[in-house]
Amino acid sequence: MLVAEIVVLVLGCAGAGMSSKWKPDEDGKVPLASHRLEELRAYLGKISQRQLANRTGNGLRSITNWEKGGKTTVKTYTAFLNQLGITDLRQFDTRYEDFYLPMKDIVRKGLPLVLPSREWEPAWMPPGALLRADLGIVRFHQRKQELAELKEWCCSSSELKVQLCHGAGGMGKTRLAIELCRQMREEEKWQAGFLDTQAFVEDDELWQGVLTSGGRLLLVLDYAESCSGILQWVFSQVTAIRGAHVRILLLTRKVGDWLEQLKSATPARELLTGPAFSQRRLGSVTVDPSERLSSWQMAHEDLAKALGIPASGKPPSDLSEQHFERILLLQMSALAVLENVQVEGENGLLDYVLNRERNFWKQQLRANEMSEGLATGLGQALAGVTLNMGAETEADGLKVLSAVPFFRGQPHQVLHALNRILADSYPGNHWIEPVQPDLLGERLSEVSLDDPELRGVLFGLFRRAQAQQGGGDVSR
């Protein structure tokens, strides 16, 4: 974990966010106060630019450019600060001199809540990122009923409620939860967001302070099946304080043994078997042919806009097929039509998007004056990283690369260079993040595991990592 705590600005007036007086430049970009970033890195333990980039899911080139006085859009910079819990952009704007106080005077500890949101930056992002929930390239749509029900669940009179939302990968669980948090923040003024499990620490005083403040809290935990320890601790906090209005939304692929194990101890047992607990299965966005076509057309238009190309091409004739119940596959289909690529079936769609990712690896190798032939090994290494849900540290990334049979005999400096390429291409809370969206990462792993030797190596790394972490269900 790079940063042991999340920081939140202490505002001198009611509310948070940008002042109504604050406006970006004519080109829509923010003039960055580069010294604020340097102060922030120092305040967070003298972390490096790369650590700050990884911590916030940005490219190293972006952080370097910002500290040289570069510009970026309001959405990108706000999302960057939000990843650190900073909610008022004015503190970093060169035109707000009154706010230029020392870091120790404007920040305090806060709950590690983030609202996953970032802007598409094709200069450094892998192409698969175009389909990620946190970029929100395709407009949120056709989940109005589910969203209304979740908002009603939040605003009901009960003090404490927990809901488990489960559904197949690519159904839109994360995107729905992001939209719920956004609306609860903006419309209802809740403290709402995804619990940052990498930054989470067991701090009784901090949580008790928040829970007794009288505010309303919405916590979302993605990959809930891998957060049992955190959940047990959070449940102990929220059940110990009466009067706190708290909602906890758990996201998972399926209800499995992990939930039964979670119920084996108190207070989770009482909470998850009583009236405060409910479940929601998230199915297809729509099964109506006309609505599915409308959803495809919206994805087609929005993806074309993001790529800066005309929205040309006709929808496929097989939109009624079962795999298009997954909104993500519907969007992959729209992307394929935009690029005039003929694909068939679920695996055809996934392989098409995976080939776009492979081309990106080759581009990164060329940019670093390395052979494109190394892209095969990069894919195998990324399969290992994805299987293990990320490479935590630089040493972990090097360990995966060194274990891949394709790279046997490669000089140490080559492996280090490849490690840096992957870290720059897949930044986030880990040194190297898994390939996303999840369906894409899983397809990469599935294809890679066809090689018996590689399969043995990757599962060996996975088992050792699980043993060091104390096991647990990490099914995605």
Side-chain angles (χ1 to χ4, degrees):
M1 183 170 62
L2 297 174
V3 183
E5 63 184 41
I6 295 292
V7 293
V8 181
L9 291 184
V10 179
L11 303 178
C13 56
M18 292 183 291
S19 164
S20 59
K21 299 179 182 178
W22 190 92
K23 292 182 179 180
D25 283 354
E26 292 181 359
D27 59 2
K29 294 192 174 183
V30 186
L32 306 183
S34 57
H35 71 275
R36 291 271 84 180
L37 288 175
E38 294 170 0
E39 292 173 17
L40 178 62
R41 288 198 293 112
Y43 184 82
L44 296 176
K46 298 182 179 179
I47 64 175
S48 66
Q49 289 179 335
R50 181 182 291 278
Q51 287 174 315
L52 187 60
N54 284 359
R55 178 68 185 81
T56 56
N58 284 275
L60 176 61
R61 282 170 287 185
S62 295
I63 301 297
T64 303
N65 179 56
W66 294 352
E67 289 201 10
K68 291 180 179 178
K71 296 181 179 181
T72 190
T73 63
V74 174
K75 179 180 177 181
T76 293
Y77 203 47
T78 302
F80 159 75
L81 294 176
N82 179 255
Q83 287 294 115
L84 297 169
I86 298 173
T87 57
D88 193 335
L89 188 59
R90 294 173 300 176
Q91 299 282 6
F92 288 78
D93 178 17
T94 56
R95 281 171 275 186
Y96 273 80
E97 297 294 338
D98 291 345
F99 284 84
Y100 277 27
L101 303 172
M103 285 288 167
K104 64 180 180 62
D105 293 338
I106 65 171
V107 298
R108 62 173 170 81
K109 291 174 65 178
L111 288 187
L113 294 182
V114 296
L115 184 61
S117 175
R118 64 186 66 180
E119 194 160 348
W120 169 239
E121 296 189 52
W124 65 268
M125 284 183 172
L130 191 67
L131 300 166
R132 287 177 50 151
D134 56 348
L135 268 75
I137 297 295
V138 179
R139 285 161 285 174
F140 181 83
H141 64 289
Q142 292 192 356
R143 289 285 189 196
K144 293 181 180 179
Q145 179 178 344
E146 292 91 338
L147 185 60
E149 290 171 354
L150 283 167
K151 291 174 71 174
E152 182 179 357
W153 169 74
C154 285
C155 296
S156 61
S157 58
S158 301
E159 294 177 358
L160 174 61
K161 285 190 174 183
V162 179
Q163 184 167 127
L164 177 67
C165 179
H166 59 94
M171 282 296 184
K173 299 182 296 296
T174 302
R175 184 66 189 278
L176 175 62
I178 290 173
E179 185 65 19
L180 173 66
C181 288
R182 186 189 67 79
Q183 292 196 20
M184 296 308 292
R185 281 186 178 197
E186 296 178 2
E187 299 173 8
E188 306 295 337
K189 309 307 178 187
W190 279 47
Q191 188 173 179
F194 284 58
L195 188 64
D196 186 344
T197 56
Q198 293 292 315
F200 172 82
V201 291
E202 296 183 0
D203 188 331
D204 291 12
E205 182 180 356
L206 169 63
W207 282 76
Q208 289 170 12
V210 171
L211 295 171
T212 57
S213 66
R216 294 169 294 175
L217 177 64
L218 169 61
L219 297 175
V220 178
L221 279 91
D222 211 350
Y223 307 113
E225 69 278 1
S226 63
C227 304
S228 295
I230 292 176
L231 281 171
Q232 289 284 10
W233 189 89
V234 170
F235 288 160
S236 70
Q237 294 295 308
V238 298
T239 55
I241 298 176
R242 303 189 67 83
H245 195 97
V246 180
R247 297 293 179 266
I248 301 176
L249 181 62
L250 310 178
L251 308 181
T252 188
R253 288 280 187 90
K254 58 185 179 181
V255 181
D257 293 341
W258 69 271
L259 184 61
E260 295 306 312
Q261 293 171 3
L262 191 61
K263 294 177 182 177
S264 64
T266 189
R269 178 170 53 249
E270 292 78 8
L271 189 56
L272 300 180
T273 57
F277 180 66
S278 59
Q279 294 190 39
R280 171 185 301 274
R281 180 186 176 276
L282 197 65
S284 173
V285 169
T286 178
V287 294
D288 180 84
S290 62
E291 290 184 352
R292 185 170 290 181
L293 175 60
S294 176
S295 183
W296 185 94
Q297 290 171 332
M298 183 178 292
H300 189 244
E301 293 171 4
D302 291 347
L303 289 167
K305 182 178 180 181
L307 293 171
I309 60 177
S312 59
K314 297 181 179 180
S317 59
D318 63 346
L319 287 181
S320 60
E321 293 293 326
Q322 185 176 2
H323 62 268
F324 283 124
E325 290 183 356
R326 303 186 184 196
I327 186 67
L328 181 58
L329 292 171
L330 203 67
Q331 293 174 6
M332 288 181 179
S333 168
L335 185 61
V337 170
L338 280 173
E339 296 187 336
N340 198 28
V341 177
Q342 298 293 323
V343 294
E344 292 185 9
E346 179 176 344
N347 286 343
L349 286 166
L350 291 168
D351 288 340
Y352 150 68
V353 179
L354 187 54
N355 282 332
R356 297 177 84 246
E357 208 79 358
R358 291 190 181 104
N359 290 333
F360 170 75
W361 304 335
K362 293 177 182 178
Q363 291 171 9
Q364 299 309 300
L365 288 166
R366 287 197 302 269
N368 285 272
E369 299 181 344
M370 302 181 75
S371 170
E372 289 185 19
L374 296 171
T376 299
L378 280 185
Q380 294 176 354
L382 277 170
V385 168
T386 300
L387 184 64
N388 198 44
M389 297 184 71
E392 184 76 20
T393 66
E394 183 175 2
D396 291 333
L398 194 59
K399 185 186 298 181
V400 173
L401 285 160
S402 301
V404 170
F406 185 90
F407 289 131
R408 281 181 188 151
Q410 287 288 350
H412 203 60
Q413 59 268 31
V414 170
L415 297 180
H416 271 286
L418 294 172
N419 200 19
R420 287 193 296 271
I421 288 173
L422 292 182
D424 288 344
S425 301
Y426 297 88
N429 285 334
H430 301 87
W431 170 257
I432 306 171
E433 285 292 300
V435 173
Q436 291 186 332
D438 285 346
L439 286 183
L440 180 61
E442 289 164 3
R443 182 58 178 170
L444 171 63
S445 298
E446 180 184 356
V447 171
S448 300
L449 293 177
D450 283 342
D451 182 333
E453 183 181 14
L454 181 62
R455 181 169 62 244
V457 168
L458 296 185
F459 274 122
L461 287 170
F462 177 74
R463 284 192 295 268
R464 285 194 293 274
Q466 285 301 101
Q468 292 170 0
Q469 296 167 9
D473 183 353
V474 294
S475 62
R476 304 171 76 186

